Amino acid sequence: MQILKGLFGRIDGPLLHGMLAGCAIMVISSLGLFYLWHSAREAQLDAVRTELKQLASVAATLVDGDRHRLLKSQAQAGSPDHLALLAPLVKFHRATSDLIYVYTAILDENRVYYVVGTDYLYHVEGDSEAPDPIMAPHDTLDPTLRRALERHEIAVDQEPVKEAVRSYMSAYAPFYDSQGRFVGVTGVDMWVRDFDARVGALRRAGIGAFAAVALLSVLAGFVVFRLSRTASRARRRDRIIQARLADAKQQAEIHAQRAEAASRAKSDFLAMMSHEIRTPMNGVLGFANLLLETPLNAEQREFAQTVQHSGDALLTIINDVLDYSKIEAGRMTVEQIEFNLRSVCDEVRTILQAAVAKRGLVMSLAYDATLPQFIKGDPVRLRQVLLNLASNAVKFTERGTVAIEVSRLDGAQVKISVTDSGIGIAAEQLDRLFRRFTQADSSTTRRYGGTGLGLAISKTLVELMGGTIGAQSHQGTGSTFWITLPLIAAQQAQTDAKAAPPPAAVPTLMDVAAEPVAAPPTLGATPPLLGAAPLLGAALPGAGRVLLVEDNFVNERVAVYMLTKLGHQVDVAKHGREAIDMLGKADYDLVLMDCQMPEMDGFEATRVIRDRSSAVIDHEIPVIAMTANAFPEDRARALACGMNDFLAKPVDRSVLASMLDKWMKPASQTAARAAVG
C-alpha cells in the first residue's frame, strides 16, 4: 500500500490528466472505430441487397409462367420447354457479372423443388459444382427462400452465406402465369468477393487504428493526434466508398430508366405497326374469304384462293417481323399442337405456284408415305420456315426445278429438304447464311432483293422447335437447305388409323409444271362497296342482335357482311360514345368492340357499360374486343377493363362464329325479349 501511494504521489496533475485523457480517448476511439466499421459494413450490405433485388426482379420477368407449369419431372430435362425456359435466363446470366446461378423454385405441399437452373447450360468461371436435376426436391432450411415462396414477395439474404469454397448472397422474386396466378420464384446467387474484400480492408484498418491507440494512449496529446488523424482518414475513406456506391447506384438507375424508356418506345412502335398493318390486312383477308363464298368460275376461285393463302402467309411473316424483338430478348415461343404436315407443304406449294409458273420452273413434292398423317408441332412457324426456304429457292433459280422432300430420319425425326438447281453458294460463304442481315454474296441483294433476316429467323424458330437447320451447295449447280424436327405422332393420327380403312395408294410425287398464265380480263371501274341497307334486314329465326363498334369503314363492311351471313342483325356505332347512346336506347345480345377509336376508345366505353350508374340498359351484356392490337398485353388490358373475350384482326369467320356461339344468349331468351319489346 505504501508503495502504491508512493507511485501515485510522484504523478503530477498534467501527467495524470494526460493518462486519463489517453484512457478516455482510447475508449472513445475504440467505440468510434467499431461504429464506423459497423456502419460501413451495413452500407456495403445494403448496396449488395439492393442490387440483388433488382437482378432477381429482372430475372423473374424473363420466366414464362405458363411454360414453367409444364415441367413436372426430371425426365423433361433438355426438352424444348426446358430449353425455352433456360434460354432467356442463360442470356441474362451471361450478361451479368458475379452471378453464380440463376434458377427457379416452387413450393408443392410444403416442399421446395428446384426446377430449372442456368448451370444446366452455363457455368461461370470458378464454379465446379454439378448442376442440380430439374424438379429435384430440396429440404432447404433457407428462411429467405421459404418466405419468398410462402408470401409471394421479393426476399433477400440479410447476411452472406459462408461455405467452404465460396461466400455468396441470394435473392428471390416471384413470377406468375398469364392468368396472374403465382407459379414460383426466380432466385439469383451472387458471389460477394468484392464485399468481403472491402469489409476485410475496413476490418484491418480498424484493428490497426485500435492497436495504435492502445500503444500510444500513454502520450495523451500524441494519442489524440493519431486518433484524430485515423478517424479523419476513416471518415474520408467511408465518404469515398459511399460516394462511389451512390454514383454506381445513380448510374444503374439511369441505365435502367433508359432501358425501360427504350423498351417502352419499342413496344409502342411495335404495337402501332401491328395495328396499322393488321387493319388493312383484315379488309384484304375478310373480303377474300367473303369473295370465295360467292359464285365464281374456276379461274376466279383459284385467284381468290391464292389471294387468301398469300394473305395468310403475309400475315404470318408480318407477325414474325413484329415479334423480332421477342427473338432478340429470347422470348419467342412455339406451340405444340396436332397438324397435318402434308397440308403445310401443299400450302407452301400453292402460295408459290404463281412465282413458279412465272419463272418457268417445275416444283415437286416428295412425301414419305410411311410418315404419320398428323404430327405434333407448330404448323404456323413450320410453314414460315418452309416458305422462306422454298421462296428463296425459287428466287435464286433461273431455270430447272425446285424439289421439296419430306422423309423419316432415324425413326425419331422428320427431315424436310428444299433442293434447287439455281445459282448455288460458294463453300466459304455457307457459314454466313444464318447470320442476321447478311447474305452469302452482297451482290444478290441488289439483284434479288431481301434483308438477309429470313434465314436467321428460320434458324431461331427451328431451334426453338427442337430441331436443326443446315445447307449444302455447289456454286453454279444448286443448293439444298434442310431442317430436322422431332417426329411426334399426334393422337388424332392414331385415332384416324383405327377408325378409317387403309387409304388407297397415293402418289408421293406431284409436279407443278410451268404453264402459261393467261392475262386477266380487263376490268371496268371497281363497283362501289355495297351499302349496309341490304345486309341489315330481318335476321334468321333465333338470331341475335349485335352492336358493332368500329370506326374503320373497310373493317366495318367486312364485319357486317360476316355477321349478316351468320344470320345476325347488325347495328353499327362509329365510336364508343355513340355505342353508349345506342346501348341506352335498345337491347342488344352482344357488342363487338374495337379498341382504338376517336372521341371514346373501346376500353373507356367498356368501363362505362359496366358502370351501374350509366344509362346503359344491360350492364352485363357480353363485350368482345375485336381489334388490330394483337399483343398479349392488349388482351390483358381488354379483359382488365371488363371485356369478356378477345378477337385479333384479321378475323376469320369461323372463329367469329364460335365466339358468338360462346357468348350469345340462348335463342329462346332472344325470342322472348323480342316478343316483349
Side-chain angles (χ1 to χ4, degrees):
M1 194 69 177
Q2 293 296 328
I3 298 175
L4 291 176
K5 288 182 178 180
L7 290 174
F8 281 106
R10 296 177 182 178
I11 301 176
D12 58 8
L15 180 58
L16 180 60
H17 293 161
M19 292 177 61
L20 292 175
C23 292
I25 291 174
M26 184 176 66
V27 172
I28 295 173
S29 299
S30 298
L31 293 175
L33 288 172
F34 177 78
Y35 173 78
L36 290 174
W37 175 84
H38 180 74
S39 299
R41 184 178 185 277
E42 283 301 311
Q44 298 289 341
L45 271 177
D46 284 341
V48 174
R49 294 189 197 111
T50 301
E51 181 181 4
L52 275 170
K53 287 181 180 179
Q54 293 174 346
L55 292 174
S57 298
V58 173
T61 63
L62 303 179
V63 180
D64 185 340
D66 294 324
R67 186 181 291 275
H68 195 279
R69 289 187 184 275
L70 301 178
L71 296 183
K72 299 182 180 299
S73 69
Q74 298 182 9
Q76 292 176 278
S79 66
D81 288 330
H82 181 208
L83 297 178
L85 283 169
L86 277 178
L89 295 180
V90 170
K91 185 176 180 180
F92 171 78
H93 190 173
R94 290 179 183 272
T96 310
S97 62
D98 290 334
L99 285 189
I100 311 173
Y101 302 122
V102 181
Y103 52 92
T104 64
I106 62 173
L107 186 65
D108 187 10
E109 296 182 354
N110 203 34
R111 196 171 190 183
V112 177
Y113 291 83
Y114 285 137
V115 184
V116 298
T118 54
D119 57 343
Y120 186 83
L121 296 176
Y122 173 67
H123 277 268
V124 298
E125 184 178 356
D127 177 33
S128 59
E129 297 289 325
D132 292 327
I134 68 172
M135 287 304 296
H138 191 77
D139 296 325
T140 178
L141 299 177
D142 183 358
T144 306
L145 176 56
R146 282 277 179 178
R147 184 169 70 256
L149 287 169
E150 292 172 354
R151 300 183 183 179
H152 306 172
E153 63 183 16
I154 298 177
V156 63
D157 287 342
Q158 294 302 307
E159 292 288 336
V161 178
K162 302 291 185 180
E163 291 185 352
V165 295
R166 59 192 171 197
S167 176
Y168 65 92
M169 290 181 69
S170 303
Y172 309 93
F175 63 91
Y176 305 85
D177 60 17
S178 60
Q179 302 298 321
R181 297 172 298 182
F182 174 77
V183 178
V185 298
T186 302
V188 295
D189 293 348
M190 185 174 75
W191 267 311
V192 291
R193 293 173 293 197
D194 292 341
F195 168 79
D196 288 338
R198 290 192 292 267
V199 171
L202 290 171
R203 184 184 299 110
R204 289 190 297 272
I207 293 173
F210 178 80
V213 169
L215 292 174
L216 300 177
S217 60
V218 178
L219 301 176
F222 188 64
V223 169
V224 171
F225 170 74
R226 290 295 301 270
L227 285 177
S228 177
R229 189 173 66 173
T230 301
S232 176
R233 289 178 177 176
R235 287 193 297 270
R236 186 164 55 253
R237 285 196 298 268
D238 185 63
R239 286 196 298 269
I240 292 173
I241 293 173
Q242 294 297 333
R244 290 176 178 174
L245 289 174
D247 183 65
K249 182 179 179 181
Q250 183 180 10
Q251 291 299 320
E253 291 176 351
I254 291 174
H255 289 311
Q257 291 171 358
R258 289 176 178 173
E260 184 178 355
S263 178
R264 284 197 303 268
K266 187 174 183 180
S267 298
D268 292 343
F269 174 76
L270 290 174
M272 180 190 68
M273 290 301 297
S274 176
H275 183 273
E276 294 304 317
I277 293 174
R278 286 174 179 274
T279 296
M281 284 299 297
N282 185 56
V284 172
L285 292 177
F287 277 112
N289 291 333
L290 291 169
L291 180 62
L292 288 170
E293 297 175 5
T294 62
L296 300 172
N297 61 37
E299 184 179 44
Q300 291 170 334
R301 182 164 298 277
E302 179 184 2
F303 291 168
Q305 288 174 339
T306 302
V307 170
Q308 182 189 44
H309 292 317
S310 299
D312 290 336
L314 176 59
L315 181 62
T316 300
I317 295 173
I318 290 171
N319 289 338
D320 290 328
V321 172
L322 294 175
D323 285 343
Y324 179 70
S325 62
K326 292 185 178 180
I327 295 178
E328 287 291 296
R331 298 181 183 178
M332 177 64 71
T333 59
V334 295
E335 292 185 310
Q336 277 291 327
I337 62 175
E338 299 180 1
F339 71 97
N340 190 320
L341 178 58
R342 178 71 170 267
S343 296
V344 171
C345 298
D346 286 335
E347 288 177 11
V348 171
R349 294 173 64 248
T350 301
I351 293 172
L352 295 177
Q353 184 173 358
V356 169
K358 182 178 179 181
R359 300 178 74 88
L361 305 176
V362 174
M363 176 175 280
S364 63
L365 169 62
Y367 193 91
D368 190 341
T370 64
L371 287 169
Q373 183 180 5
F374 292 91
I375 65 172
K376 283 189 175 182
D378 192 324
V380 175
R381 300 302 185 192
L382 178 58
R383 181 176 65 176
Q384 179 190 344
V385 173
L386 186 56
L387 182 62
N388 180 264
L389 299 182
S391 61
N392 279 347
V394 172
K395 180 169 63 173
F396 294 111
T397 302
E398 299 290 345
R399 59 182 179 274
T401 62
V402 174
I404 302 175
E405 181 179 359
V406 186
S407 59
R408 186 188 294 265
L409 186 65
D410 297 332
Q413 289 185 313
V414 59
K415 182 177 182 180
I416 306 176
S417 302
V418 178
T419 304
D420 63 67
S421 58
I423 61 176
I425 306 168
E428 63 272 11
Q429 296 170 336
L430 282 174
D431 62 341
R432 301 174 52 195
L433 287 177
F434 299 102
R435 298 179 186 175
R436 292 170 186 169
F437 307 109
T438 61
Q439 292 186 335
D441 184 358
S442 60
S443 63
T444 60
T445 303
R446 294 188 297 271
R447 182 177 179 185
Y448 297 100
T451 64
L453 186 60
L455 288 178
I457 294 179
S458 298
K459 183 176 185 293
T460 300
L461 294 177
V462 170
E463 290 175 350
L464 285 175
M465 291 187 286
T468 59
I469 188 170
Q472 297 175 344
S473 182
H474 298 284
Q475 197 165 13
T477 61
S479 306
T480 297
F481 285 79
W482 51 265
I483 63 173
T484 64
L485 296 172
L487 178 58
I488 306 174
Q491 186 66 33
Q492 182 175 353
Q494 301 173 5
T495 303
D496 293 346
K498 295 178 181 178
V506 178
T508 60
L509 182 63
M510 297 183 294
D511 294 337
V512 181
E515 298 178 357
V517 180
T522 303
L523 300 177
T526 303
L529 201 59
L530 292 177
L535 299 174
L536 300 180
L540 296 178
R545 188 176 181 185
V546 178
L547 177 60
L548 172 67
V549 190
E550 173 64 68
D551 67 316
N552 183 276
F553 178 74
V554 175
N555 288 339
E556 172 197 324
R557 295 293 87 199
V558 171
V560 168
Y561 273 99
M562 287 185 177
L563 291 167
T564 304
K565 285 181 176 290
L566 291 172
H568 299 288
Q569 181 180 349
V570 189
D571 290 337
V572 179
K574 297 298 184 183
H575 48 74
R577 195 174 304 281
E578 184 178 350
I580 297 300
D581 294 338
M582 296 175 69
L583 288 170
K585 298 175 182 177
D587 278 324
Y588 291 92
D589 297 295
L590 184 138
V591 179
L592 289 173
M593 181 77 73
D594 191 17
C595 292
Q596 290 189 1
M597 294 179 293
E599 295 198 30
M600 180 185 287
D601 63 27
F603 304 112
E604 180 63 25
T606 303
R607 283 190 283 268
V608 174
I609 293 172
R610 300 303 184 216
D611 185 359
R612 296 287 179 177
S613 64
S614 67
V616 173
I617 295 175
D618 184 3
H619 298 287
E620 303 298 329
I621 185 172
V623 179
I624 311 300
M626 191 166 71
T627 174
N629 297 326
F631 288 102
E633 51 267 29
D634 299 315
R635 177 185 178 88
R637 183 184 178 190
L639 298 179
C641 77
M643 296 185 185
N644 298 86
D645 219 322
F646 186 89
L647 278 173
K649 297 175 183 176
V651 177
D652 182 79
R653 198 176 79 177
S654 61
V655 177
L656 176 61
S658 299
M659 187 68 71
L660 295 177
D661 290 341
K662 176 181 177 182
W663 291 104
M664 191 77 76
K665 295 179 180 179
S668 59
Q669 296 183 17
T670 304
R673 187 181 63 186
V676 173

